[in-house]
Amino acid sequence: SLQHVKQKGTLVVGTSADYPPYEFTVKQNGQTKYVGLDIEIAKQFAKNLGVKLEIKNMNFDSLLVALETRKVDMVISGMNPTPERQKSVDFSKIYYRGKQYMLINQKDATRFKNIHSFRGQTI
Ligand code: ARG
């Protein structure tokens, strides 16, 4: 709980740092640093609460169990709120919606009008 976090003075956040640009690692003079959009959000959370941030890196599949068993206070890991997951945990509101695009060469634009145009095509 929030009370518990403030009492500890540390917000323990679970993530699976293998998912750039949301969470990933960089090596900085021999040290592993956690970086990415979600890490920045977690930092801001801790800052607003006036507590320290501890990142616990683990397999994506272990995150919900870690939360349920209170090994972490919160999970932020680019995780979608699927009905299955919603059975066991409480998701926040959506904080980021990605827009992803496919692209082809301009000169092929007339050949590929939509996804169906790709059927059986070789370039
Ligand atoms: N968005 C996908 C999901 O919710 C994949 C998330 C993977 N995240 C990660 N940090 N590896 O299942």
Side-chain angles (χ1 to χ4, degrees), residues 16 18-19 23 60 77-80 85:
S16 174
D18 57 358
Y19 198 52
E23 44 269 334
F60 187 75
S77 204
M79 194 184 289
N80 301 333
R85 290 167 180 165

Side-chain angles (χ1 to χ4, degrees), residues 2-89:
L2 205 49
Q3 208 64 35
H4 173 66
V5 169
K6 284 184 173 164
Q7 206 175 298
K8 281 188 302 179
T10 309
L11 175 69
V12 183
V13 172
T15 196
S16 174
D18 57 358
Y19 198 52
Y22 303 99
E23 44 269 334
F24 56 109
T25 56
V26 290
K27 282 251 159 32
Q28 207 170 62
N29 30 35
Q31 271 206 307
T32 303
K33 251 187 80 179
Y34 299 111
V35 293
L37 170 67
D38 287 349
I39 307 298
E40 291 308 314
I41 292 170
K43 276 184 190 167
Q44 201 57 52
F45 251 78
K47 195 177 171 188
N48 290 354
L49 291 170
V51 297
K52 288 203 293 185
L53 174 68
E54 185 188 329
I55 300 282
K56 273 203 181 150
N57 190 22
M58 61 188 80
N59 290 330
F60 187 75
D61 292 341
S62 308
L63 288 169
L64 294 192
V65 176
L67 185 61
E68 286 165 57
T69 57
R70 301 184 187 281
K71 300 233 167 25
V72 298
D73 300 309
M74 181 180 106
V75 165
I76 184 160
S77 204
M79 194 184 289
N80 301 333
T82 63
E84 191 57 36
R85 290 167 180 165
Q86 278 173 322
K87 282 183 198 160
S88 59
V89 296

